[in-house]
Amino acid sequence: MSENTVKLTKKDLMGVMIRFSFFPMVTINYERFQTLQYFCALSHVLEKLYPEKEDRISAAKRHMAFYNTTPEWMSITMGMNCAQEETIASMEKGEERTALEESVNTVKASLMGPLAGIGDSLRATVEAIIGALSAGFALSGSILGTILTLVLGNAYYFGIAYFGFFYSYKNGMKVIQDMNKTGILDRIMDAATILGMTAVGALIPSWVGFKLTSNIAIGDYVLNIQQELDNIIPGLAPLALTLVLAMLYKKNISSLKLVLCIFVFSLVISLIL
């Protein structure tokens, strides 16, 4: 260990977290994507850890390698990198330190793909749930629709960024072992998918305005089609329409053609019933 051991404080770490989470994608480019943002977030920490110019240059080069993942999930690799750089700065120069320096980009390169996969999928699910809840209020003219979008969206984003960063900084490489051992990412995705499908499915009757309002007279008996369908399953008509449209969309029928199909279907039904 080096005699000049430097420890990162909570203030130092919060500075890193704020820099990458409050300004996502501001420096993205087609050459290195999020690399510059990543380095800028770590720059003041690297200055503190490496008082010698040569060491700072070496650290800067490590963090200028290509990097791209879901912005809030960047926190996982960034927390681990902070822990690695803190350890490197406390080591004497030699083979062991060189090996740890090389592992910095290994961690980033090996995790950015899986984190992007889980991050993009989970974000899409969460945004669908938040959008569904907010749209319900917005359609009724309530300002809560806007407020919910802002509050819940930011709560998810900054929650992932904060917890992921400090958890990975505290646990270091143990994070990868925990992920592999527990399969937590797969479980999170499964749970989020089920929750998202449940939430969106429950809102179909409110979103899809499809009701069969005509009655059919059979002798002295008048059949109320909509009421009978609701007695079977409430919201069965809009659910059936949604499932049919989803099936057609899955068969690569464009949205414009589906709108035309809905128009023709509605016209035919209105003439029959």
Side-chain angles (χ1 to χ4, degrees), residues 33-91:
F33 281 75
Q34 297 169 326
T35 300
L36 188 56
Q37 176 192 354
Y38 201 100
F39 170 69
C40 288
L42 289 173
S43 58
H44 74 294
V45 162
L46 298 179
E47 284 189 45
K48 180 176 181 177
L49 292 174
Y50 302 108
E52 295 184 13
K53 182 178 180 180
E54 292 76 11
D55 291 335
R56 290 199 301 274
I57 292 174
S58 179
K61 288 181 178 179
R62 284 197 292 277
H63 292 288
M64 285 303 290
F66 176 88
Y67 187 83
N68 186 43
T69 194
T70 309
E72 63 272 23
W73 288 81
M74 184 191 301
S75 59
I76 302 292
T77 55
M78 192 161 286
M80 294 174 67
N81 283 168
C82 283
Q84 287 176 299
E85 294 293 356
E86 190 178 50
T87 303
I88 292 169
S90 302
M91 298 172 67

Side-chain angles (χ1 to χ4, degrees), residues 61-269:
K61 288 181 178 179
R62 284 197 292 277
H63 292 288
M64 285 303 290
F66 176 88
Y67 187 83
N68 186 43
T69 194
T70 309
E72 63 272 23
W73 288 81
M74 184 191 301
S75 59
I76 302 292
T77 55
M78 192 161 286
M80 294 174 67
N81 283 168
C82 283
Q84 287 176 299
E85 294 293 356
E86 190 178 50
T87 303
I88 292 169
S90 302
M91 298 172 67
E92 296 290 349
K93 293 184 178 180
E95 291 184 3
E96 188 176 352
R97 173 168 169 164
T98 301
L100 188 55
E101 289 174 345
E102 292 175 352
S103 72
V104 170
N105 271 322
T106 301
V107 168
K108 291 168 64 176
S110 60
L111 285 182
M112 67 178 179
L115 289 177
I118 182 73
D120 289 352
S121 301
L122 186 59
R123 176 188 278 192
T125 302
V126 171
E127 287 181 348
I129 296 172
I130 295 173
L133 294 173
S134 301
F137 287 102
L139 289 171
S140 64
S142 174
I143 195 174
L144 279 176
T146 301
I147 295 174
L148 272 179
T149 301
L150 293 174
V151 173
L152 296 181
N154 283 295
Y156 164 76
Y157 177 84
F158 288 110
I160 294 291
Y162 181 89
F163 176 79
F165 177 72
F166 283 99
Y167 178 81
S168 60
Y169 169 76
K170 181 179 178 181
N171 293 279
M173 298 298 289
K174 183 174 178 290
V175 174
I176 299 178
Q177 297 173 358
D178 290 344
M179 287 179 180
N180 292 331
K181 186 183 298 182
T182 63
I184 188 171
L185 293 182
D186 292 333
R187 288 190 289 166
I188 290 175
M189 270 306 303
D190 290 341
T193 301
I194 293 171
L195 178 60
M197 293 177 68
T198 302
V200 173
L203 288 167
I204 285 176
S206 301
W207 280 15
V208 181
F210 178 43
K211 291 185 179 181
L212 301 172
T213 57
S214 299
N215 299 325
I216 299 177
I218 305 175
D220 295 332
Y221 177 73
V222 178
L223 175 65
N224 187 316
I225 301 175
Q226 186 61 51
Q227 184 178 341
E228 294 300 325
L229 290 175
D230 289 339
N231 288 336
I232 300 172
I233 298 178
L236 180 59
L239 175 61
L241 177 62
T242 302
L243 291 176
V244 170
L245 292 175
M247 181 185 67
L248 293 175
Y249 186 78
K250 195 173 181 180
K251 292 183 178 295
N252 297 322
I253 298 178
S254 67
S255 300
L256 185 60
K257 290 180 180 178
L258 289 178
V259 171
L260 181 61
C261 288
I262 293 172
F263 176 79
V264 174
F265 176 74
S266 301
L267 181 62
V268 171
I269 291 296

